[in-house]
Amino acid sequence: MPTEKKYALHERILLDIEARILSGEWPPGHAVPYEVDLAQSYGCSRMTVSKALNRLVRAGLIERRKRAGSQVAQPRTQSAVLEIPEIESEVRSMGAVYGYVLMSRVRRKLLKGDREHCSMPLQAPVLELVCLHLAEGRPFCLENRLINLAEAPEAAAERFETVAPGPWLLKQVPWSDARHVIRALAADARTALLLQIAEGAPCLVVERETSLGGNSITCVRLTYPGGKYELTASFTPTDKTKAVPSAMP
Amino acid sequence: MPTEKKYALHERILLDIEARILSGEWPPGHAVPYEVDLAQSYGCSRMTVSKALNRLVRAGLIERRKRAGSQVAQPRTQSAVLEIPEIESEVRSMGAVYGYVLMSRVRRKLLKGDREHCSMPLQAPVLELVCLHLAEGRPFCLENRLINLAEAPEAAAERFETVAPGPWLLKQVPWSDARHVIRALAADARTALLLQIAEGAPCLVVERETSLGGNSITCVRLTYPGGKYELTASFTPTDKTKAVPSAMP
DNA sequence: TTTGAAAATATGTATACACATATTGAAATT
DNA sequence: AATTTCAATATGTGTATACATATTTTCAAA
């Protein structure tokens, strides 16, 4: 039987230990063998074991302390990875024709009421956009967006009549982190009218504030008719980041 | 000026490169210097640089190919890490008194209707639980749960009158992955009654199916009154994600 | 008994080296 | 011109070693 060369040694070690933890064989608090012992039993050097164990630390599966050794971490919360795709690809992946309509575009200053959902400074110059995303010609998602023109001045020159602000910003402006809030709300009169649903109907609302180094760049509220849309998230024990196909510019 | 010893060398290299990418100085597709060159400019060995670059790969910020070198990755679909804490700690973190009530506990077999939300085999022996989680004595969350007794037979002996099934299962049964679905739904008559809200009021519904190696262990539906609860998720391009407790005004 | 210094120990960081492997680009062959 | 071959090259994996650092244990002094 030829040795399966699919995984590198340090990955095999990682997977072995991960399997023991996830299977419950090593419950939280259980001691993980010392680096030197693992190195001996795998017939490899300590560095190779160290690499595997340190990746498990970053994945949150184990904790390590000098002199005390390594032990299986106590699971604190269930964490899941939520993929939030571009609305256009979301619609297309349903096999529907995608459509986009700009409803309004206003340049103004940030008011006190905006601060409820958004951490830009008061009086900041913003571009307020209201857009509708369509699937098969019918309303799919209502987008309310504020763009901080102090951080993204290029947006002032863009009409956003044919291109949605989401993809435009993603290409144009660098960002470092995002905060999402997900809630269920009843449709108010204006939302109900635009989404063509009954007033008071449940809606899934995703709010996202994107910023670069503490400065809020844009703040978006996506309102989906409830029951027509759902978010899915899956738990990943290890930090297996999927390789994304990259198109060259 | 004393050398700041806060970060290890490979972390400094990582942070330097991350900063250039996030600032937009190195746009997607931009070439990252070769390992040997970085090693030279930092005055360190190739392995140290390699460690930093490989962490950036796992964080999804760069891509590397042999002979071709490394380059900045194309921005991926926005993905966020969703932290789903235990309901009890969630309530307590709001500064409220937590309460738990078991509404019903029935042992039965899996019916066709259950399969809508749950991938256990038909006729599987299940324990069906309905519980109410309280904050300050008022309904906070309605829990509908099925536990697969074929996978977790210990559950048959537990009454679940004082301990909620979530924490009990977390301690008792190992699991390897979970699938979450989040949606907004209108409260039906029974839900409205239990949560003391109006029928038709919007609710945030989180469904989670937990399994071990392909076998479904438990399937839970958590229904929160809309407007009283929200989920938050945050994303940072580096692999360190912050947990944010969800609190409400 | 308490305090505190010192030894033991496990991980943390980094080096220098060696060889493997995938990809590129150019040279040689068809 | 199209294809194959081959060497150059950048990353991938792993070893052996060294010293740093945090923490526990031990043991002796106050």
Side-chain angles (χ1 to χ4, degrees), chain B residues 88 97-104 129-135 143 159-166:
Chain B
E88 177 167 356
V97 174
Y98 172 74
Y100 164 77
V101 188
L102 176 66
M103 306 300 290
S104 80
L129 300 169
V130 180
C131 341
L132 206 53
H133 300 267
L134 311 169
E143 171 171 351
R159 305 284 318 156
F160 294 111
E161 275 165 353
T162 56
V163 62

Side-chain angles (χ1 to χ4, degrees), chain B:
Chain B
M1 179 168 67
T3 314
E4 298 237 2
K5 187 61 186 58
K6 176 147 190 193
Y7 293 107
L9 181 51
H10 68 265
E11 279 177 319
R12 280 230 320 278
I13 300 174
L14 184 150
L15 291 171
D16 285 355
I17 296 174
E18 184 190 283
R20 285 192 224 241
I21 295 173
L22 296 181
S23 71
E25 184 184 337
W26 289 355
H30 188 279
V32 176
Y34 300 130
E35 285 189 351
V36 279
D37 297 339
L38 283 169
Q40 172 130 37
S41 63
Y42 279 95
C44 69
S45 79
R46 188 168 76 89
M47 283 234 34
T48 304
V49 172
S50 187
K51 195 169 189 173
L53 293 181
N54 282 321
R55 281 188 58 175
L56 287 169
V57 169
R58 252 167 279 132
L61 279 184
I62 68 170
E63 283 166 11
R64 320 185 67 192
R65 280 184 357 267
K66 290 175 189 177
R67 169 72 211 237
S70 310
Q71 56 176 215
V72 179
Q74 217 69 28
R76 42 180 175 173
T77 65
Q78 294 218 25
S79 68
V81 173
L82 191 65
E83 300 276 346
I84 303 180
E86 284 297 325
I87 298 170
E88 177 167 356
S89 41
E90 208 165 14
V91 169
R92 288 193 196 282
S93 76
M94 292 163 54
V97 174
Y98 172 74
Y100 164 77
V101 188
L102 176 66
M103 306 300 290
S104 80
R105 180 187 185 283
V106 179
R107 196 171 166 165
R108 61 175 175 86
K109 296 212 179 293
L110 198 86
L111 306 175
K112 222 164 62 184
D114 298 320
R115 302 262 305 176
E116 193 181 320
H117 304 120
C118 163
S119 67
M120 298 173 196
L122 268 176
Q123 295 298 316
V126 294
L127 192 63
E128 181 186 30
L129 300 169
V130 180
C131 341
L132 206 53
H133 300 267
L134 311 169
E136 296 288 321
R138 300 178 55 83
F140 176 74
C141 171
L142 177 64
E143 171 171 351
N144 295 76
R145 186 183 287 268
L146 294 177
I147 301 175
N148 188 347
L149 291 174
E151 295 294 325
E154 315 93 303
E158 174 62 49
R159 305 284 318 156
F160 294 111
E161 275 165 353
T162 56
V163 62
W168 186 88
L169 279 162
L170 202 63
K171 282 214 196 310
Q172 216 72 20
V173 187
W175 56 280
S176 61
D177 44 30
R179 190 184 50 81
H180 295 82
V181 179
I182 299 155
R183 51 166 76 93
L185 290 179
D188 60 23
R190 184 173 155 76
T191 303
L193 183 69
L194 288 168
L195 287 176
Q196 295 175 25
I197 55 177
E199 192 174 338
C203 291
L204 188 66
V205 176
V206 178
E207 277 177 12
R208 169 166 63 228
E209 183 166 28
T210 309
S211 40
L212 175 62
N215 294 322
S216 177
I217 296 168
T218 183
C219 190
V220 62
R221 164 141 85 171
L222 302 172
T223 306
Y224 299 86
K228 276 195 190 164
Y229 182 72
E230 59 191 26
L231 281 167
T232 67
S234 67
F235 171 79
T236 47
T238 324
D239 44 13
K240 209 62 215 165
T241 346
K242 270 231 153 71
V244 186
S246 10
M248 276 302 292

Side-chain angles (χ1 to χ4, degrees), chain A residues 21-25 47 51 54-55 57-58 74-86 170 174-186 200-205 208 210 212 224-227 229-235 237 239 241 243-249, chain B residues 21-24 28-29 47 51 54-55 57-60 63 71 73-86 170-171 174-186 200-204 208 210 212 226-227 229-237 239-240 243 248:
Chain A
I21 294 173
L22 295 181
S23 73
E25 184 185 337
M47 286 269 342
K51 197 169 189 174
N54 282 321
R55 282 188 59 176
V57 169
R58 253 167 278 132
Q74 211 75 27
R76 295 216 132 36
T77 57
Q78 296 218 25
S79 66
V81 176
L82 189 67
E83 297 278 346
I84 303 180
E86 284 297 325
L170 201 64
W175 56 280
S176 62
D177 44 32
R179 190 184 51 81
H180 296 81
V181 178
I182 300 155
R183 51 165 76 94
L185 290 180
C203 291
L204 189 66
V205 176
R208 171 166 57 229
T210 309
L212 175 62
Y224 299 86
Y229 182 71
E230 58 193 27
L231 282 167
T232 66
S234 61
F235 170 83
D239 55 348
T241 30
V244 180
S246 87
M248 289 299 293
Chain B
I21 295 173
L22 296 181
S23 71
M47 283 234 34
K51 195 169 189 173
N54 282 321
R55 281 188 58 175
V57 169
R58 252 167 279 132
E63 283 166 11
Q71 56 176 215
Q74 217 69 28
R76 42 180 175 173
T77 65
Q78 294 218 25
S79 68
V81 173
L82 191 65
E83 300 276 346
I84 303 180
E86 284 297 325
L170 202 63
K171 282 214 196 310
W175 56 280
S176 61
D177 44 30
R179 190 184 50 81
H180 295 82
V181 179
I182 299 155
R183 51 166 76 93
L185 290 179
C203 291
L204 188 66
R208 169 166 63 228
T210 309
L212 175 62
Y229 182 72
E230 59 191 26
L231 281 167
T232 67
S234 67
F235 171 79
T236 47
D239 44 13
K240 209 62 215 165
M248 276 302 292

